[in-house]
Amino acid sequence: MSASTTASMSSGVTTTSLQDTLALVGRILIAYLFIPAGIGKLMGFAGTVGYITSVGLPLPQVGAAIAVIVELGLGIALLLGYKTRIVAIVMALFTIAAAVFFHKYWSAPDAMKMMQQINFNKNIAIAGGLLALAGFGPGRLSIDKR
Protein backbone atom coordinates (compact mmCIF):
# COMPACT_ATOMS: atom_id res chain seq x y z
CA MET A 1 0.00 0.00 0.00
CA SER A 2 1.43 3.39 -0.97
CA ALA A 3 1.87 6.27 1.46
CA SER A 4 -0.92 8.18 -0.29
CA THR A 5 -3.42 5.43 0.39
CA THR A 6 -2.26 4.44 3.86
CA ALA A 7 -5.11 4.79 6.34
CA SER A 8 -4.95 5.67 10.02
CA MET A 9 -7.10 3.87 12.58
CA SER A 10 -5.55 5.35 15.75
CA SER A 11 -8.55 7.55 16.52
CA GLY A 12 -11.20 5.17 15.24
CA VAL A 13 -11.54 7.22 12.04
CA THR A 14 -10.02 5.97 8.83
CA THR A 15 -8.66 8.59 6.45
CA THR A 16 -6.44 8.59 3.41
CA SER A 17 -3.74 11.13 2.62
CA LEU A 18 -6.08 12.71 0.07
CA GLN A 19 -8.86 13.03 2.64
CA ASP A 20 -6.41 14.52 5.16
CA THR A 21 -5.27 17.05 2.57
CA LEU A 22 -8.84 17.93 1.61
CA ALA A 23 -9.79 18.40 5.28
CA LEU A 24 -6.79 20.71 5.74
CA VAL A 25 -7.70 22.75 2.66
CA GLY A 26 -11.31 22.92 3.87
CA ARG A 27 -10.18 24.19 7.27
CA ILE A 28 -7.93 26.79 5.64
CA LEU A 29 -10.73 28.05 3.39
CA ILE A 30 -13.25 28.30 6.21
CA ALA A 31 -10.69 29.98 8.50
CA TYR A 32 -9.98 32.42 5.64
CA LEU A 33 -13.49 33.76 6.15
CA PHE A 34 -13.57 33.85 9.94
CA ILE A 35 -10.10 35.00 11.05
CA PRO A 36 -9.98 38.28 9.08
CA ALA A 37 -13.58 39.01 10.10
CA GLY A 38 -12.63 38.49 13.75
CA ILE A 39 -9.61 40.78 13.39
CA GLY A 40 -11.85 43.41 11.78
CA LYS A 41 -14.36 43.18 14.62
CA LEU A 42 -11.59 43.41 17.20
CA MET A 43 -9.95 46.42 15.55
CA GLY A 44 -13.31 48.10 15.00
CA PHE A 45 -14.95 46.94 18.21
CA ALA A 46 -17.07 50.08 18.67
CA GLY A 47 -18.42 49.74 15.13
CA THR A 48 -19.24 46.08 15.76
CA VAL A 49 -21.10 47.04 18.93
CA GLY A 50 -22.97 49.71 16.97
CA TYR A 51 -23.95 47.25 14.25
CA ILE A 52 -25.22 44.73 16.80
CA THR A 53 -27.14 47.53 18.53
CA SER A 54 -28.68 48.54 15.19
CA VAL A 55 -30.38 45.17 14.79
CA GLY A 56 -31.83 45.35 18.29
CA LEU A 57 -29.96 42.54 19.99
CA PRO A 58 -29.47 42.82 23.75
CA LEU A 59 -26.02 43.22 25.35
CA PRO A 60 -24.24 44.33 22.18
CA GLN A 61 -20.82 44.55 23.88
CA VAL A 62 -21.14 40.93 24.98
CA GLY A 63 -22.30 39.96 21.50
CA ALA A 64 -19.32 41.72 19.93
CA ALA A 65 -16.93 39.98 22.33
CA ILE A 66 -18.51 36.62 21.50
CA ALA A 67 -18.17 37.37 17.78
CA VAL A 68 -14.45 38.17 18.19
CA ILE A 69 -13.86 35.04 20.26
CA VAL A 70 -15.69 32.80 17.80
CA GLU A 71 -14.38 34.32 14.60
CA LEU A 72 -10.79 34.96 15.65
CA GLY A 73 -10.17 32.52 18.50
CA LEU A 74 -12.15 29.56 17.26
CA GLY A 75 -11.19 30.42 13.67
CA ILE A 76 -7.53 29.92 14.60
CA ALA A 77 -8.39 26.70 16.48
CA LEU A 78 -10.21 25.43 13.38
CA LEU A 79 -7.29 26.37 11.13
CA LEU A 80 -4.89 24.41 13.34
CA GLY A 81 -7.29 21.53 13.80
CA TYR A 82 -7.49 21.91 17.58
CA LYS A 83 -10.63 20.56 19.28
CA THR A 84 -12.05 20.66 15.77
CA ARG A 85 -15.31 18.84 16.30
CA ILE A 86 -16.58 21.00 19.16
CA VAL A 87 -15.11 24.18 17.61
CA ALA A 88 -16.90 23.44 14.33
CA ILE A 89 -20.23 22.86 16.10
CA VAL A 90 -19.95 26.12 18.04
CA MET A 91 -18.97 27.99 14.87
CA ALA A 92 -21.87 26.42 12.95
CA LEU A 93 -24.35 27.53 15.62
CA PHE A 94 -22.81 31.03 15.63
CA THR A 95 -23.04 31.19 11.83
CA ILE A 96 -26.69 30.12 11.80
CA ALA A 97 -27.48 32.72 14.49
CA ALA A 98 -25.68 35.38 12.41
CA ALA A 99 -27.78 34.39 9.40
CA VAL A 100 -31.03 34.67 11.34
CA PHE A 101 -30.23 37.95 13.12
CA PHE A 102 -28.22 39.83 10.50
CA HIS A 103 -29.49 38.59 7.11
CA LYS A 104 -33.28 38.79 7.52
CA TYR A 105 -34.09 38.75 3.82
CA TRP A 106 -37.74 38.03 4.60
CA SER A 107 -38.12 41.48 6.15
CA ALA A 108 -35.50 43.41 4.18
CA PRO A 109 -36.46 46.27 1.88
CA ASP A 110 -36.93 45.12 -1.71
CA ALA A 111 -33.65 46.72 -2.80
CA MET A 112 -31.74 44.63 -0.22
CA LYS A 113 -33.78 41.42 -0.29
CA MET A 114 -31.65 39.52 -2.83
CA MET A 115 -28.32 40.47 -1.21
CA GLN A 116 -29.58 39.48 2.23
CA GLN A 117 -30.95 36.18 0.93
CA ILE A 118 -27.61 35.37 -0.72
CA ASN A 119 -25.77 36.17 2.52
CA PHE A 120 -28.27 34.14 4.55
CA ASN A 121 -27.86 31.15 2.22
CA LYS A 122 -24.05 31.44 2.29
CA ASN A 123 -24.13 31.37 6.08
CA ILE A 124 -26.28 28.24 6.02
CA ALA A 125 -23.87 26.60 3.56
CA ILE A 126 -20.86 27.56 5.71
CA ALA A 127 -22.61 26.01 8.71
CA GLY A 128 -23.06 22.86 6.64
CA GLY A 129 -19.34 22.72 5.91
CA LEU A 130 -18.56 23.23 9.58
CA LEU A 131 -20.94 20.42 10.55
CA ALA A 132 -19.22 18.14 8.02
CA LEU A 133 -15.90 18.89 9.77
CA ALA A 134 -17.58 18.16 13.10
CA GLY A 135 -18.87 14.86 11.74
CA PHE A 136 -15.79 13.64 9.90
CA GLY A 137 -13.01 15.38 11.81
CA PRO A 138 -10.07 17.54 10.76
CA GLY A 139 -7.91 14.79 9.28
CA ARG A 140 -4.43 13.80 10.38
CA LEU A 141 -2.89 17.12 9.25
CA SER A 142 -4.12 18.77 12.43
CA ILE A 143 -3.37 19.05 16.11
CA ASP A 144 -6.22 16.60 16.72
CA LYS A 145 -4.74 14.19 14.09
CA ARG A 146 -8.01 12.44 13.32
Side-chain angles (χ1 to χ4, degrees):
M1 193 179 295
S2 73
S4 65
T5 59
T6 302
S8 169
M9 288 292 295
S10 63
S11 65
V13 176
T14 304
T15 59
T16 65
S17 294
L18 176 61
Q19 289 169 318
D20 292 331
T21 301
L22 291 172
L24 172 62
V25 171
R27 292 193 337 264
I28 290 168
L29 294 175
I30 293 172
Y32 174 76
L33 174 70
F34 283 96
I35 294 171
I39 292 169
K41 285 178 177 64
L42 180 63
M43 302 310 284
F45 195 79
T48 302
V49 170
Y51 183 54
I52 293 170
T53 300
S54 76
V55 298
L57 291 176
L59 304 170
Q61 293 87 353
V62 174
I66 290 169
V68 169
I69 290 166
V70 170
E71 292 181 354
L72 182 56
L74 297 187
I76 291 169
L78 186 80
L79 176 65
L80 299 174
Y82 177 72
K83 303 285 185 187
T84 306
R85 292 174 191 266
I86 189 68
V87 163
I89 290 169
V90 171
M91 292 177 78
L93 293 171
F94 171 85
T95 303
I96 291 167
V100 170
F101 291 114
F102 296 100
H103 302 298
K104 301 177 189 178
Y105 68 89
W106 51 88
S107 63
D110 286 341
M112 296 180 66
K113 203 172 279 287
M114 183 185 300
M115 180 197 65
Q116 290 300 339
Q117 186 170 14
I118 289 168
N119 286 329
F120 180 92
N121 290 339
K122 283 182 181 181
N123 276 33
I124 299 304
I126 292 163
L130 287 162
L131 291 174
L133 275 173
F136 293 101
R140 290 176 289 163
L141 301 175
S142 67
I143 291 174
D144 293 343
K145 294 187 182 357
R146 53 185 174 170

